Amino acid sequence: MGLLCSKNRHYAEADIEENAQAAEIERRIEQETKAEKHIQKLLLLGAGESGKSTIFKQIKLLFQTGFDEAELKSYVSVIDANIYQTIKILYDGSKEFAHNDVNSSKYVLSSENKVIGEKLSEIGSRLDYPRLNRELAEEIGELWKDSAIQETYARGIELQVPDCTHYFMENLQRLSDANYVPTKEDVLYARVRTTGVVEIQFSPVGENKKSGEVYRLFDVGGQRNERRKWIHLFEGVTAVIFCAAINEYDQTLFEDEQKNRMMETKELFDWVLKQPCFEKTSFMLFLNKFDIFEKKVLKVPLNVCEWFKDYQPVSAGKQEIEHAFEFIKKKFEELYFQSTAPDRVDRVFKVYRTTALDQKVVKKTFKLVDETLRRRNLLEAGLL
Amino acid sequence: MFQPSKRDGVVVAGFDGSGDGQVLDLDTAVKDGVLGGFGGGIIGADVGEKLDLKKMTEELDLPEIPSVFICPISLEPMQDPITLCTGQTYERSNILKWFNLGHYTCPTTMQELWDDSITPNRTLYHLIYTWFSQKYSLMKKKSEDVQGRVSELIQTLKKAKGQARIQALKELRQVVAVHATAMKTVVDEGGVSLISSLLGPFTSHAVGSEAIAILVNLELDSESKTYLMQPTRISLMVDMLNEGSVETKINCTRLIEKLMEEKEFRSESISSHRLLVGLMRLVKDKRHSNGILSGLSLLRSICLHKQVMSLTVSIGAVPQLVELLPALEPDCLELALFILDTLSSLPEGKAALKDCRNTIPNMVKLLMRVSENCTEYALSILWSVCKLAPEECSSVAVEAGLAAKLLLVIQSGCNPVLKQKSSELLKLCSLNYTDTIFISKCKLTRTIQ
């Protein structure tokens, strides 16, 4: 009898404990679901190299604690990789142009630089890169200064040379220092092809510190093979921040050298707009890389891109830049309204001009995005 | 006993301490509101300027003047009151006119005058003068206060940021709304360019909406308008037109319309999907009728630019406007019909009109219903649609009672061009019917009436 009793009691205790645990878990789930409802989901979408990750990093810097030293240091290998890969692309490119181009002599390096070039090309093809040191930095610097490489760089868009090239090449000495810790700016320029999904949660801190809004920002890979992962994120999104690099109208894709990047962005934007889950989602279009666009548009006419073939320049200088920008903006607006069914026409749709590398611009832009989303919430709650 | 002292030409008794409630002097009498005018205020210390009564009366333009100051003949405040033997007082020029017409009676009492002398009523004159002087001084002081406040606010705006800026703008807006003089001060102190400069690519909605609310009520010169017409600023206005409160939407609409009047205006600026979609949203908002009116007004101005007409049709404005028609007020109706008529000059506009089921019935209903202009536009639209697809449309039109209405137009006092068009349309519609059937369709039935 005693044994039975004690056994029963043992079971009963276990039961009670289990029930208590289950109840606790239930309560926690309920609490978190409630909290989740107030978290606004923001999704960064766009083609590869449109600047999504840079925006992501900027938000991190602005509204979170930024990057601590460990995180900063983790970018050293990324930057090294960027440098090796870039110089290899340029060197291999110069050989190709020297071989095929009519003006082949432009692309022929000096014999010393050829030696350096071969060495660096070999390093660049390895899986593991050596840490950048003084010696390598000097050699890379020499190669970079060679006129053949500069000529090749001028045709960089044909070779998929990344935008950060000039910045890193000009800073080689600093970057090769033994105790180098990357600066925030270095981190913003560092280029990693995002794969998978990255997220951060933040609360924008403004004048009124208790703004109460909590955002969760998701960054994704932009290349074609990454896009199939996007669809899992499409539920319950408050706003899509679509990044389009407007300087890319004369460039082709990394993953498909036949396809013009701007046309790719156009089709992608169209596809995103038509997604069923985005019926009530706000769309913030960031026309990014304005700084590069500014310099390019006066030299390369917009009509090289099929989408912009009806463009007519009106003037020169700053006015022309503005005019070209307005033209592109109108094209995107036109696309938006063509791709939006009548029942969705009341979605918030705003276009912003950004330069993701400029923290001030990103901060101001985000302030506006925040204001728009807050107003939208008030409107939907019937308070406006 | 009291000692009357002379101060600034008005007899003043020592009111500073006497306080026995007796009405001893002009100023006190007026001040305490004995005469039924507005009480209170500062005793006219500036009367010494010898202000012209006529000037003050005109400038003040007050709606409520004490009845005893008003001439019974002209119902205007008297400048030179004279009293007849009956004891009634009139404005000198008016009563003299009365006498010159051959009357020898007192206009109000109808009594025959036994004495043709006219006595200047000095007492009344003094009262009128003092009363107006007080009001005038008050107004001047208030005006200076207002001007001072406006200056202060503008100075604040030059430096303020964030919430302080929004507050300053809000207050400035209120001051400008209440005091007409404030508007001039804002313009004189460079307020226009200052406020315009606040509108940029990073302007928040809060700042932008207040700025626009002020600018829309001010006199803008050519330079200011050109500055505001730049794409970034127009873009900001379009944003606010899409997202703001009804008041903000109306302000943006009115401001854009103002800017369009400038001859430097490039139609490219308004050739924007976002603008047109936002406008249509405003126009369709049945809860706010003043929004509908200003929206249609801007849409009308926009449709005068050929390049934008096509865009307007492409966003589906035509069927939306047609559906709106039955619910519109007459002034909005005229605008809407004008817009549809203008759009019908484009092939795509005609097609859109034809494709919309309610075009013909709505147009037929509007003939001879509201105004001659409405009839003209409705007729023109019907003409476009019927010409496009005569068989299809004319039968629909006739079934909707078009024939009877056209007969009404022809028989009415409308202008001959209209009548001519009506008979042509009638002829066109009758082609598909035999004579007898058509005549039966021409009868005005109850429903059409």
Side-chain angles (χ1 to χ4, degrees):
Chain A
M1 186 70 172
L3 273 168
L4 272 170
C5 276
S6 64
K7 229 196 210 160
N8 277 341
R9 206 168 357 131
H10 181 69
Y11 286 149
E13 268 176 17
D15 265 346
I16 294 172
E17 213 186 290
E18 235 181 78
N19 283 339
Q21 268 188 356
E24 173 65 22
I25 293 174
E26 279 284 329
R27 197 178 59 78
R28 287 254 297 277
I29 292 178
E30 202 185 299
Q31 232 182 20
E32 273 166 31
T33 324
K34 240 174 146 185
E36 286 288 304
K37 283 213 180 88
H38 296 291
I39 297 180
Q40 309 206 49
K41 205 166 153 187
L42 304 176
L43 201 49
L44 277 164
L45 297 178
E49 283 187 79
S50 53
K52 303 181 292 299
S53 301
T54 313
I55 301 274
F56 190 81
K57 288 177 205 164
Q58 292 281 26
I59 300 284
K60 204 160 174 221
L61 288 167
L62 287 167
F63 302 121
Q64 288 200 329
T65 47
F67 296 97
D68 60 23
E69 187 155 324
E71 268 180 298
L72 289 172
K73 282 202 178 138
S74 70
Y75 275 89
V76 173
S77 53
V78 175
I79 294 170
D80 284 352
N82 285 168
I83 294 172
Y84 292 125
Q85 283 160 2
T86 308
I87 199 71
K88 177 179 164 63
I89 292 173
L90 286 171
Y91 176 71
D92 292 348
S94 73
K95 280 205 292 190
E96 191 193 315
F97 290 158
H99 192 69
N100 298 328
D101 198 273
V102 174
N103 302 318
S104 59
S105 54
K106 268 206 292 196
Y107 303 105
V108 174
L109 293 127
S110 67
S111 35
E112 306 94 42
N113 286 343
K114 263 205 197 116
V115 173
I116 298 175
E118 284 301 321
K119 175 177 169 190
L120 292 170
S121 185
E122 189 275 315
I123 296 178
S125 58
R126 297 187 204 161
L127 287 173
D128 267 319
Y129 303 119
R131 170 70 188 111
L132 192 67
N133 58 31
R134 188 99 323 154
E135 192 201 324
L136 281 167
E138 269 175 28
E139 290 184 326
I140 296 173
E142 281 305 309
L143 190 56
W144 169 248
K145 285 198 268 236
D146 193 306
S147 60
I149 295 292
Q150 285 299 311
E151 286 290 338
T152 313
Y153 178 61
R155 287 171 65 174
I157 51 167
E158 295 172 51
L159 304 168
Q160 304 289 349
V161 169
D163 294 326
C164 56
T165 306
H166 191 266
Y167 178 78
F168 286 140
M169 292 299 163
E170 295 299 306
N171 283 286
L172 285 167
Q173 241 198 4
R174 180 171 61 81
L175 303 180
S176 60
D177 189 79
N179 300 316
Y180 169 60
V181 176
T183 64
K184 277 191 252 175
E185 207 183 349
D186 297 341
V187 165
L188 287 172
Y189 273 97
R191 162 118 195 99
V192 183
R193 254 188 304 287
T194 315
T195 176
V197 181
V198 202
E199 72 177 80
I200 47 167
Q201 192 158 307
F202 66 98
S203 215
V205 177
E207 264 179 37
N208 179 16
K209 291 249 162 169
K210 253 180 42 176
S211 89
E213 302 294 313
V214 179
Y215 292 114
R216 196 175 284 163
L217 181 66
F218 294 82
D219 182 23
V220 298
Q223 269 80 23
R224 283 181 182 171
N225 59 329
E226 293 288 327
R227 292 178 203 161
R228 69 182 106 98
K229 303 178 197 171
W230 290 10
I231 197 118
H232 304 294
L233 301 167
F234 284 1
E235 283 294 320
V237 175
T238 308
V240 166
I241 299 178
F242 193 90
C243 295
I246 50 173
N247 63 311
E248 293 184 333
Y249 56 93
D250 63 341
Q251 291 173 250
T252 53
L253 291 179
F254 171 81
E255 60 268 40
D256 176 358
E257 303 233 335
Q258 299 303 316
K259 187 73 187 241
N260 175 281
R261 287 193 183 201
M262 192 54 86
M263 298 307 293
E264 178 85 355
T265 297
K266 172 179 187 257
E267 285 161 22
L268 190 57
F269 190 49
D270 182 59
W271 180 80
V272 170
L273 286 170
K274 291 183 169 143
Q275 289 302 306
C277 325
F278 294 149
E279 198 184 357
K280 300 236 165 84
T281 307
S282 302
F283 273 83
M284 312 295 177
L285 176 63
F286 281 18
L287 295 180
N288 200 21
K289 305 210 184 179
F290 183 73
D291 53 340
I292 310 178
F293 173 78
E294 269 188 306
K295 301 190 190 97
K296 185 184 276 195
V297 78
L298 295 175
K299 292 183 255 174
V300 183
L302 282 184
N303 356 50
V304 303
C305 175
E306 199 191 311
W307 193 19
F308 303 150
K309 63 176 186 269
D310 53 338
Y311 179 67
Q312 305 266 9
V314 285
S315 54
K318 197 143 191 269
Q319 255 200 342
E320 177 57 25
I321 297 174
E322 285 299 324
H323 185 254
F325 177 79
E326 286 300 316
F327 178 82
I328 296 182
K329 185 169 167 200
K330 284 235 167 78
K331 281 286 180 185
F332 273 97
E333 280 180 18
E334 190 180 42
L335 179 59
Y336 174 81
F337 285 105
Q338 280 167 0
S339 310
T340 301
D343 61 336
R344 297 188 177 193
V345 125
D346 283 338
R347 288 191 288 210
V348 172
F349 170 61
K350 289 183 82 162
V351 184
Y352 301 90
R353 174 200 302 200
T354 53
T355 297
L357 290 167
D358 184 339
Q359 185 160 79
K360 282 210 186 85
V361 169
V362 175
K363 183 172 186 188
K364 286 191 207 174
T365 308
F366 194 78
K367 248 179 91 180
L368 293 180
V369 169
D370 182 41
E371 189 191 27
T372 303
L373 291 175
R374 270 187 289 124
R375 283 181 63 85
R376 186 64 175 191
N377 285 341
L378 289 174
L379 190 76
E380 289 190 349
L383 295 167
L384 209 64
Chain B
M1 289 293 359
F2 71 93
Q3 285 293 328
S5 59
K6 268 211 175 339
R7 186 152 53 108
D8 298 313
V10 177
V11 176
V12 172
F15 57 84
D16 285 310
S18 58
D20 58 354
Q22 260 193 305
V23 177
L24 298 169
D25 59 271
L26 219 50
D27 281 341
T28 315
V30 179
K31 173 184 164 227
D32 291 344
V34 170
L35 297 171
F38 295 112
I42 302 111
I43 304 295
D46 297 309
V47 166
E49 282 170 41
K50 251 307 148 212
L51 296 159
D52 182 22
L53 179 59
K54 193 161 156 62
K55 176 166 167 278
M56 284 195 285
T57 316
E58 277 168 12
E59 250 191 74
L60 277 169
D61 195 18
L62 292 166
E64 281 171 51
I65 302 174
S67 49
V68 295
F69 292 175
I70 305 281
C71 168
I73 299 174
S74 65
L75 299 178
E76 296 283 313
M78 293 184 268
Q79 313 261 327
D80 186 2
I82 53 104
T83 310
L84 301 179
C85 60
T86 54
Q88 297 299 319
T89 310
Y90 305 92
E91 172 70 24
R92 181 190 290 269
S93 48
N94 296 337
I95 194 67
L96 288 179
K97 270 197 208 125
W98 174 255
F99 291 156
N100 285 341
L101 289 171
H103 304 289
Y104 290 111
T105 52
C106 169
T108 46
T109 61
M110 306 296 255
Q111 291 171 283
E112 250 199 60
L113 297 171
W114 53 89
D115 181 346
D116 60 1
S117 63
I118 54 176
T119 317
N121 193 333
R122 284 200 229 286
T123 313
L124 190 56
Y125 175 79
H126 279 304
L127 280 168
I128 295 175
Y129 190 88
T130 313
W131 192 86
F132 273 96
S133 303
Q134 277 197 7
K135 296 279 173 239
Y136 193 73
S137 306
L138 246 162
M139 179 198 83
K140 281 284 168 193
K141 180 142 196 323
K142 236 197 219 163
S143 171
E144 273 158 26
D145 279 345
V146 163
Q147 280 176 12
R149 188 69 195 124
V150 167
S151 287
E152 259 175 41
L153 285 168
I154 292 192
Q155 289 310 312
T156 315
L157 273 176
K158 287 190 181 149
K159 293 168 286 180
K161 299 231 153 127
Q163 279 299 319
R165 181 181 280 179
I166 299 175
Q167 278 311 114
L169 283 170
K170 271 200 165 94
E171 202 185 325
L172 191 58
R173 174 160 70 103
Q174 281 162 357
V175 172
V176 168
V178 173
H179 302 275
T181 47
M183 283 196 239
K184 189 167 176 301
T185 316
V186 172
V187 174
D188 290 341
E189 302 233 353
V192 173
S193 53
L194 176 64
I195 298 173
S196 304
S197 68
L198 295 176
L199 302 172
F202 297 115
T203 306
S204 66
H205 184 95
V207 169
S209 53
E210 296 296 329
I212 296 286
I214 299 170
L215 287 172
V216 77
N217 290 313
L218 301 175
E219 282 292 315
L220 301 169
D221 63 12
S222 200
E223 202 186 316
S224 321
K225 284 195 197 168
T226 312
Y227 183 75
L228 286 168
M229 275 199 270
Q230 282 167 14
T232 339
R233 278 168 263 277
I234 299 267
S235 184
L236 186 64
M237 285 183 233
V238 172
D239 279 346
M240 292 193 281
L241 202 149
N242 272 285
E243 292 167 20
S245 63
V246 170
E247 202 192 323
T248 304
K249 288 186 191 190
I250 294 176
N251 287 336
C252 293
T253 312
R254 283 175 52 212
L255 188 57
I256 295 178
E257 202 172 346
K258 254 195 187 173
L259 295 177
M260 284 177 72
E261 290 162 15
E262 191 66 15
K263 63 173 159 49
E264 300 267 310
F265 189 81
R266 282 167 41 229
S267 49
E268 269 180 7
S269 326
I270 41 152
S271 178
S272 152
H273 278 90
R274 293 198 62 219
L275 172 59
L276 294 169
V277 170
L279 262 185
M280 284 310 299
R281 197 178 297 132
L282 180 61
V283 160
K284 288 189 296 185
D285 185 358
K286 296 213 163 111
R287 297 167 297 169
H288 302 106
S289 54
N290 37 353
I292 301 179
L293 184 60
S294 40
L296 284 174
S297 182
L298 179 57
L299 200 54
R300 179 191 186 280
S301 303
I302 288 178
C303 285
L304 295 173
H305 293 255
K306 292 216 165 46
Q307 303 92 313
V308 197
M309 274 164 64
S310 187
L311 191 60
T312 313
V313 175
S314 72
I315 59 151
V318 170
Q320 290 173 35
L321 286 169
V322 170
E323 296 304 321
L324 263 185
L325 293 172
L328 291 178
E329 298 289 317
D331 44 2
C332 296
L333 206 49
E334 232 177 83
L335 287 168
L337 285 171
F338 178 88
I339 295 166
L340 286 169
D341 185 33
T342 313
L343 293 176
S344 71
S345 62
L346 290 177
E348 55 263 42
K350 275 198 251 270
L353 281 165
K354 178 177 92 66
D355 291 337
C356 178
R357 273 184 20 234
N358 285 323
T359 305
I360 294 176
N362 284 354
M363 296 302 156
V364 172
K365 274 203 202 92
L366 288 169
L367 288 174
M368 296 299 284
R369 207 58 192 284
V370 183
S371 71
E372 192 168 323
N373 282 338
C374 288
T375 303
E376 188 189 323
Y377 303 139
L379 190 58
S380 174
I381 292 166
L382 283 165
W383 180 250
S384 301
V385 174
C386 289
K387 265 250 139 157
L388 186 68
E391 275 121 43
E392 189 188 330
C393 297
S394 37
S395 52
V396 174
V398 172
E399 290 311 311
L402 177 62
K405 282 290 185 90
L406 288 175
L407 283 174
L408 263 179
V409 178
I410 295 170
Q411 291 161 9
S412 74
C414 292
N415 81 66
V417 176
L418 214 56
K419 293 198 223 190
Q420 175 69 10
K421 247 207 162 141
S422 301
S423 38
E424 281 170 24
L425 186 57
L426 196 58
K427 225 175 275 172
L428 181 68
C429 293
S430 65
L431 289 175
N432 297 322
Y433 293 84
T434 64
D435 284 346
T436 29
I437 297 182
F438 194 67
I439 289 173
S440 71
K441 302 284 179 196
C442 289
K443 289 218 175 68
L444 269 174
T445 62
R446 268 260 182 79
T447 43
I448 300 169
Q449 275 171 329

